[in-house]
Amino acid sequence: KQEVTQIPAALSVPEGENLVLNCSFTDSAIYNLQWFRQDPGKGLTSLLLIQSSQREQTSGRLNASLDKSSGRSTLYIAASQPGDSATYLCAVEVNYGQNFVFGPGTRLSVLP
Amino acid sequence: EAGVTQSPTHLIKTRGQQATLRCSPISGHTSVYWYQQALGLGLQFLLWYDEGEERNRGNFPPRFSGRQFPNYSSELNVNALELEDSALYLCASRGGGRETQYFGPGTRLLVL
């Protein structure tokens, strides 16, 4: 059974810092991995999707890497801004068309 | 292009009642997924419908059920509501190929 964990559970940083969020999964046989952002009480916003054959994806200040063999992914946020404050969720899709297995999330606060 | 829509946005019920939640997928998407996000429990997979058929269900009791209509919209029904069913219910849809799931804004269910 696939399990996803995220470290740290919460993070508070001053504006402008670069930061790394970590995601681990127990079964390396995945279809893809995706990072989402969730603002309080809201739905999910997709940030980056990494297919199983890829090693990383980049979008603006965000970079996500994937190491299937070690069961790890990292989300790197450069030059953090207060608007980045949200909960970041890592999700693994085991097989095409199947549901996501979500991690518990990292709650990020970027202080002005 | 319109995104995934869900209705109602908020729903208040009492214990023992039934709740019906609705989801309209992105045009052209044939798969619909339902997830529950209860306080402190993270996002849990509920149900997956594709082409009108239930393809998979998560570890939830049978009082959680649903269906998918010919136009691919979907309904989630929760019978005999319990206090712990209070949660944000998220719907996601997916098209073919290697697309990701796109999430709606959610329905917040409160059981009193």
Coordinates of all heavy atoms in Angstrom, one line a residue, chain A residues 31-32 34 36 38 40-46 49 51-53 89 93 95-104, chain B residues 31 33 35 37 42-45 47-48 55-56 88 90 94-106 108:
Chain A
Y31 N 3.1 6.2 -11.3 CA 2.8 6.7 -12.6 C 3.3 8.2 -12.7 O 3.9 8.6 -13.7 CB 1.3 6.6 -12.9 CG 0.9 7.1 -14.3 CD1 1.3 6.4 -15.4 CD2 0.2 8.3 -14.4 CE1 0.9 6.8 -16.7 CE2 -0.2 8.7 -15.7 CZ 0.2 8.0 -16.8 OH -0.1 8.4 -18.0
N32 N 2.9 9.0 -11.7 CA 3.4 10.4 -11.7 C 3.3 10.9 -10.3 O 2.7 10.3 -9.4 CB 2.7 11.3 -12.7 CG 1.2 11.5 -12.3 OD1 0.8 11.6 -11.2 ND2 0.4 11.5 -13.3
Q34 N 2.7 14.7 -8.2 CA 2.3 16.1 -8.4 C 2.3 16.9 -7.1 O 2.0 16.3 -6.0 CB 0.8 16.1 -9.0 CG 0.4 17.4 -9.5 CD -0.8 17.3 -10.5 OE1 -1.2 16.2 -10.8 NE2 -1.2 18.4 -11.0
F36 N 0.7 20.2 -5.2 CA -0.4 21.1 -5.2 C -0.2 22.1 -4.1 O 0.5 21.9 -3.1 CB -1.7 20.3 -4.9 CG -2.2 19.3 -5.9 CD1 -1.7 18.0 -5.9 CD2 -3.0 19.7 -6.9 CE1 -2.1 17.1 -6.8 CE2 -3.4 18.8 -7.9 CZ -3.0 17.5 -7.8
Q38 N -2.7 24.5 -1.5 CA -4.1 24.7 -1.0 C -4.1 25.8 -0.1 O -3.4 25.8 0.9 CB -4.6 23.4 -0.3 CG -6.1 23.5 0.1 CD -6.6 22.2 0.7 OE1 -5.9 21.5 1.3 NE2 -7.9 22.0 0.5
P40 N -6.3 28.1 2.7 CA -7.3 27.7 3.7 C -8.7 27.6 3.2 O -9.2 28.6 2.7 CB -7.1 28.8 4.8 CG -5.7 29.3 4.6 CD -5.4 29.2 3.1
G41 N -9.3 26.5 3.4 CA -10.7 26.2 3.1 C -11.0 26.2 1.6 O -12.2 26.2 1.2
K42 N -10.0 26.1 0.8 CA -10.1 26.1 -0.7 C -9.8 24.8 -1.3 O -9.3 23.9 -0.6 CB -9.3 27.2 -1.3 CG -9.5 28.6 -0.7 CD -10.8 29.2 -1.1 CE -10.9 30.6 -0.6 NZ -12.2 31.2 -0.9
G43 N -10.0 24.7 -2.6 CA -9.6 23.5 -3.4 C -8.1 23.5 -3.6 O -7.4 24.3 -3.1
L44 N -7.7 22.7 -4.5 CA -6.3 22.5 -4.8 C -5.9 23.2 -6.1 O -6.7 23.1 -7.1 CB -6.0 21.0 -5.0 CG -6.4 20.1 -3.8 CD1 -5.9 18.7 -4.0 CD2 -5.7 20.6 -2.5
T45 N -4.7 23.8 -6.1 CA -4.2 24.4 -7.3 C -3.0 23.5 -7.7 O -2.0 23.4 -6.9 CB -3.8 25.8 -7.1 OG1 -4.9 26.6 -6.7 CG2 -3.1 26.4 -8.3
S46 N -2.9 23.0 -8.9 CA -1.8 22.2 -9.4 C -0.6 23.1 -9.6 O -0.7 24.2 -10.2 CB -2.1 21.5 -10.7 OG -1.0 20.8 -11.2
L49 N 3.7 18.9 -12.2 CA 3.4 17.5 -12.4 C 4.7 16.8 -13.0 O 5.2 17.3 -14.0 CB 2.3 17.3 -13.4 CG 2.1 15.9 -13.9 CD1 1.6 14.9 -12.8 CD2 1.1 15.9 -15.1
Q51 N 6.1 13.3 -14.5 CA 5.8 12.0 -14.9 C 6.9 11.1 -14.4 O 8.0 11.5 -14.1 CB 5.8 11.9 -16.5 CG 4.7 12.8 -17.1 CD 3.3 12.3 -16.9 OE1 3.1 11.2 -16.4 NE2 2.3 13.1 -17.3
S52 N 6.6 9.8 -14.4 CA 7.6 8.8 -13.8 C 8.9 8.8 -14.5 O 9.9 8.4 -13.9 CB 6.9 7.4 -13.7 OG 6.6 7.0 -15.0
S53 N 8.9 9.1 -15.8 CA 10.1 9.1 -16.6 C 10.9 10.3 -16.5 O 12.1 10.4 -17.0 CB 9.8 8.8 -18.1 OG 8.9 9.9 -18.5
L89 N 0.9 20.3 -0.9 CA 0.6 18.9 -0.8 C 1.3 18.1 -1.9 O 1.3 18.6 -3.1 CB -0.9 18.6 -1.0 CG -1.8 19.2 0.1 CD1 -3.3 19.3 -0.3 CD2 -1.8 18.3 1.4
E93 N 0.4 9.2 -8.0 CA -0.6 8.4 -8.7 C 0.1 7.1 -9.0 O 1.1 7.1 -9.7 CB -1.0 9.1 -10.0 CG -2.1 8.5 -10.7 CD -2.7 9.3 -11.9 OE1 -2.2 10.4 -12.0 OE2 -3.5 8.8 -12.6
N95 N -1.0 4.2 -10.6 CA -1.2 3.8 -11.9 C -2.1 4.8 -12.7 O -2.9 5.5 -12.1 CB -1.9 2.4 -12.0 CG -1.0 1.3 -11.5 OD1 0.1 1.1 -12.0 ND2 -1.4 0.6 -10.5
Y96 N -1.9 4.8 -14.0 CA -2.7 5.7 -14.8 C -4.2 5.5 -14.5 O -4.7 4.4 -14.6 CB -2.5 5.5 -16.3 CG -3.4 6.3 -17.1 CD1 -3.3 7.7 -17.2 CD2 -4.5 5.7 -17.8 CE1 -4.2 8.4 -17.9 CE2 -5.4 6.5 -18.6 CZ -5.2 7.8 -18.6 OH -6.1 8.6 -19.3
G97 N -4.9 6.6 -14.3 CA -6.3 6.6 -14.1 C -6.7 6.3 -12.7 O -7.8 6.5 -12.3
Q98 N -5.8 5.9 -11.9 CA -6.1 5.6 -10.5 C -6.1 6.9 -9.7 O -5.7 8.0 -10.2 CB -5.1 4.6 -9.8 CG -5.1 3.3 -10.5 CD -6.3 2.4 -10.1 OE1 -6.9 2.7 -9.0 NE2 -6.6 1.5 -10.9
N99 N -6.5 6.8 -8.4 CA -6.6 8.0 -7.6 C -5.2 8.4 -7.1 O -4.3 7.6 -7.1 CB -7.5 7.7 -6.4 CG -7.0 6.5 -5.6 OD1 -7.3 5.3 -6.1 ND2 -6.2 6.6 -4.6
F100 N -5.2 9.6 -6.6 CA -4.0 10.1 -6.0 C -3.9 9.6 -4.5 O -5.0 9.4 -3.9 CB -4.0 11.7 -5.9 CG -3.5 12.3 -7.2 CD1 -4.4 13.2 -7.8 CD2 -2.3 12.2 -7.6 CE1 -4.0 13.8 -9.0 CE2 -1.8 12.8 -8.8 CZ -2.7 13.6 -9.4
V101 N -2.7 9.4 -4.1 CA -2.5 9.2 -2.6 C -1.8 10.4 -2.2 O -0.7 10.8 -2.7 CB -1.6 7.9 -2.4 CG1 -1.4 7.8 -0.9 CG2 -2.3 6.7 -2.9
F102 N -2.4 11.2 -1.2 CA -1.8 12.4 -0.8 C -1.0 12.3 0.4 O -1.3 11.5 1.3 CB -3.0 13.4 -0.5 CG -3.6 14.0 -1.7 CD1 -4.6 13.4 -2.4 CD2 -3.1 15.2 -2.2 CE1 -5.2 13.9 -3.5 CE2 -3.7 15.8 -3.4 CZ -4.7 15.1 -4.0
G103 N 0.0 13.2 0.5 CA 0.7 13.4 1.8 C -0.1 14.3 2.7 O -1.1 14.9 2.3
P104 N 0.3 14.4 3.9 CA -0.4 15.3 4.9 C -0.2 16.8 4.7 O -1.0 17.6 5.2 CB 0.2 14.8 6.3 CG 1.5 14.4 5.9 CD 1.4 13.7 4.6
Chain B
S31 N -13.6 11.1 -16.6 CA -13.4 10.5 -15.2 C -13.6 11.6 -14.2 O -13.2 12.7 -14.3 CB -11.9 10.0 -15.1 OG -11.7 8.8 -15.7
Y33 N -13.3 12.0 -9.9 CA -12.8 11.4 -8.6 C -13.4 12.2 -7.5 O -13.6 13.5 -7.6 CB -11.3 11.5 -8.5 CG -10.5 10.9 -9.7 CD1 -10.5 11.5 -10.9 CD2 -9.9 9.7 -9.5 CE1 -9.8 10.9 -12.0 CE2 -9.2 9.1 -10.6 CZ -9.2 9.7 -11.8 OH -8.5 9.1 -12.8
Y35 N -12.9 13.1 -3.3 CA -12.0 13.0 -2.1 C -12.6 13.6 -0.9 O -13.4 14.6 -1.1 CB -10.6 13.7 -2.4 CG -9.8 13.1 -3.5 CD1 -10.0 13.4 -4.9 CD2 -8.8 12.2 -3.3 CE1 -9.3 12.9 -5.9 CE2 -8.0 11.7 -4.3 CZ -8.3 12.0 -5.6 OH -7.5 11.5 -6.6
Q37 N -11.7 15.6 2.7 CA -10.6 16.2 3.5 C -11.2 16.6 4.8 O -11.8 17.7 5.0 CB -10.0 17.4 2.8 CG -8.8 18.0 3.5 CD -8.1 19.1 2.7 OE1 -8.8 19.9 2.1 NE2 -6.8 19.2 2.8
G42 N -6.2 14.8 6.5 CA -5.7 14.9 5.2 C -6.7 14.5 4.1 O -7.8 14.1 4.4
L43 N -6.2 14.5 2.9 CA -7.1 14.1 1.7 C -7.1 12.6 1.6 O -6.1 12.0 1.4 CB -6.5 14.8 0.5 CG -7.1 16.1 0.1 CD1 -6.2 16.9 -0.8 CD2 -8.5 15.9 -0.5
Q44 N -8.4 12.1 1.6 CA -8.6 10.7 1.4 C -9.4 10.4 0.2 O -10.4 11.0 0.0 CB -9.3 10.1 2.6 CG -8.6 10.3 4.0 CD -7.3 9.6 4.1 OE1 -7.2 8.4 3.6 NE2 -6.3 10.1 4.8
F45 N -9.0 9.4 -0.6 CA -9.7 9.0 -1.8 C -11.0 8.3 -1.5 O -11.0 7.4 -0.6 CB -8.9 8.1 -2.7 CG -9.6 7.4 -3.8 CD1 -10.1 8.1 -4.8 CD2 -9.8 6.0 -3.7 CE1 -10.8 7.4 -5.8 CE2 -10.4 5.3 -4.7 CZ -11.0 6.0 -5.7
L47 N -14.0 7.9 -4.2 CA -14.6 7.1 -5.3 C -14.0 7.6 -6.6 O -13.7 8.8 -6.8 CB -16.1 7.3 -5.4 CG -17.0 6.7 -4.3 CD1 -18.3 7.4 -4.1 CD2 -17.1 5.2 -4.5
W48 N -14.0 6.7 -7.6 CA -13.6 7.1 -9.0 C -14.6 6.5 -10.0 O -14.9 5.3 -9.9 CB -12.2 6.5 -9.2 CG -11.8 6.5 -10.7 CD1 -12.0 7.5 -11.6 CD2 -10.9 5.6 -11.3 NE1 -11.4 7.2 -12.8 CE2 -10.8 6.0 -12.7 CE3 -10.3 4.4 -10.9 CZ2 -10.0 5.3 -13.6 CZ3 -9.5 3.7 -11.9 CH2 -9.4 4.2 -13.2
R55 N -15.1 2.7 -10.8 CA -13.9 2.0 -11.1 C -13.1 1.6 -9.8 O -12.4 0.6 -9.8 CB -12.9 2.8 -12.0 CG -13.5 3.2 -13.3 CD -13.8 2.1 -14.2 NE -14.3 2.5 -15.5 CZ -14.7 1.7 -16.5 NH1 -14.7 0.4 -16.3 NH2 -15.1 2.2 -17.6
N56 N -13.2 2.4 -8.8 CA -12.5 2.1 -7.6 C -13.1 2.9 -6.4 O -13.8 3.9 -6.7 CB -11.0 2.5 -7.7 CG -10.1 1.8 -6.7 OD1 -10.5 0.9 -6.0 ND2 -8.9 2.3 -6.6
L88 N -14.4 18.8 4.0 CA -14.4 19.4 2.7 C -14.4 18.3 1.7 O -13.5 17.4 1.7 CB -13.2 20.3 2.5 CG -13.1 21.0 1.1 CD1 -14.2 22.0 0.9 CD2 -11.7 21.7 1.0
L90 N -13.9 17.2 -2.1 CA -13.4 17.7 -3.4 C -13.6 16.7 -4.5 O -13.5 15.5 -4.3 CB -11.8 17.9 -3.2 CG -11.4 19.0 -2.3 CD1 -9.9 19.0 -2.1 CD2 -11.8 20.4 -2.8
R94 N -10.7 14.3 -15.1 CA -9.6 14.0 -15.8 C -10.0 13.6 -17.2 O -11.0 12.9 -17.4 CB -8.8 12.8 -15.2 CG -7.6 12.4 -15.9 CD -7.1 11.1 -15.4 NE -5.7 11.0 -15.7 CZ -4.8 10.7 -14.8 NH1 -5.2 10.5 -13.5 NH2 -3.6 10.6 -15.1
G95 N -9.2 14.0 -18.2 CA -9.4 13.6 -19.6 C -8.5 12.4 -19.9 O -8.0 11.8 -19.0
G96 N -8.3 12.2 -21.1 CA -7.5 11.0 -21.5 C -6.1 11.3 -21.6 O -5.6 12.4 -21.1
G97 N -5.3 10.4 -22.1 CA -3.9 10.6 -22.2 C -3.2 10.7 -20.9 O -3.5 10.0 -20.0
R98 N -2.2 11.6 -20.8 CA -1.4 11.7 -19.6 C -1.7 12.9 -18.8 O -0.9 13.4 -18.0 CB 0.1 11.8 -20.0 CG 0.5 10.5 -20.8 CD 2.0 10.7 -21.2 NE 2.9 10.5 -20.2 CZ 3.4 9.4 -19.7 NH1 2.9 8.3 -20.2 NH2 4.2 9.3 -18.7
E99 N -3.0 13.4 -19.0 CA -3.4 14.6 -18.2 C -3.5 14.3 -16.8 O -3.7 13.2 -16.3 CB -4.8 15.0 -18.7 CG -4.8 15.7 -20.0 CD -6.2 16.4 -20.3 OE1 -6.6 17.2 -19.4 OE2 -6.8 16.1 -21.3
T100 N -3.4 15.4 -16.0 CA -3.6 15.3 -14.6 C -5.0 15.4 -14.2 O -5.9 15.6 -15.0 CB -2.7 16.4 -13.9 OG1 -2.8 16.2 -12.5 CG2 -3.3 17.8 -14.2
Q101 N -5.3 15.3 -12.9 CA -6.6 15.6 -12.4 C -6.7 17.1 -12.1 O -5.8 17.7 -11.6 CB -6.9 14.8 -11.1 CG -6.8 13.3 -11.4 CD -7.0 12.5 -10.1 OE1 -7.7 13.0 -9.1 NE2 -6.4 11.3 -10.0
Y102 N -7.9 17.6 -12.4 CA -8.2 19.0 -12.1 C -9.3 19.1 -11.0 O -10.3 18.4 -11.2 CB -8.7 19.8 -13.4 CG -7.6 19.8 -14.5 CD1 -7.5 18.8 -15.4 CD2 -6.8 20.9 -14.6 CE1 -6.5 18.9 -16.4 CE2 -5.8 21.0 -15.5 CZ -5.7 20.0 -16.4 OH -4.7 20.0 -17.4
F103 N -9.0 19.9 -10.0 CA -9.9 19.9 -8.8 C -10.8 21.0 -8.9 O -10.5 22.1 -9.3 CB -9.0 19.9 -7.6 CG -8.4 18.6 -7.2 CD1 -7.2 18.2 -7.8 CD2 -9.0 17.8 -6.2 CE1 -6.7 17.0 -7.5 CE2 -8.4 16.6 -5.9 CZ -7.2 16.2 -6.6
G104 N -12.0 20.7 -8.3 CA -13.0 21.8 -8.1 C -12.8 22.5 -6.8 O -11.9 22.1 -6.0
P105 N -13.6 23.5 -6.4 CA -13.4 24.3 -5.2 C -13.9 23.6 -4.0 O -13.6 24.0 -2.9 CB -14.3 25.5 -5.5 CG -15.3 25.1 -6.4 CD -14.7 24.0 -7.3
G106 N -14.7 22.5 -4.1 CA -15.1 21.7 -3.0 C -16.5 22.1 -2.4 O -17.0 23.2 -2.7
R108 N -18.3 22.1 1.4 CA -18.0 22.0 2.8 C -19.3 21.5 3.5 O -20.3 22.1 3.5 CB -17.5 23.3 3.4 CG -17.1 23.1 4.9 CD -16.3 24.3 5.4 NE -15.0 24.4 4.7 CZ -13.9 23.7 5.0 NH1 -14.0 22.7 5.9 NH2 -12.8 23.9 4.4

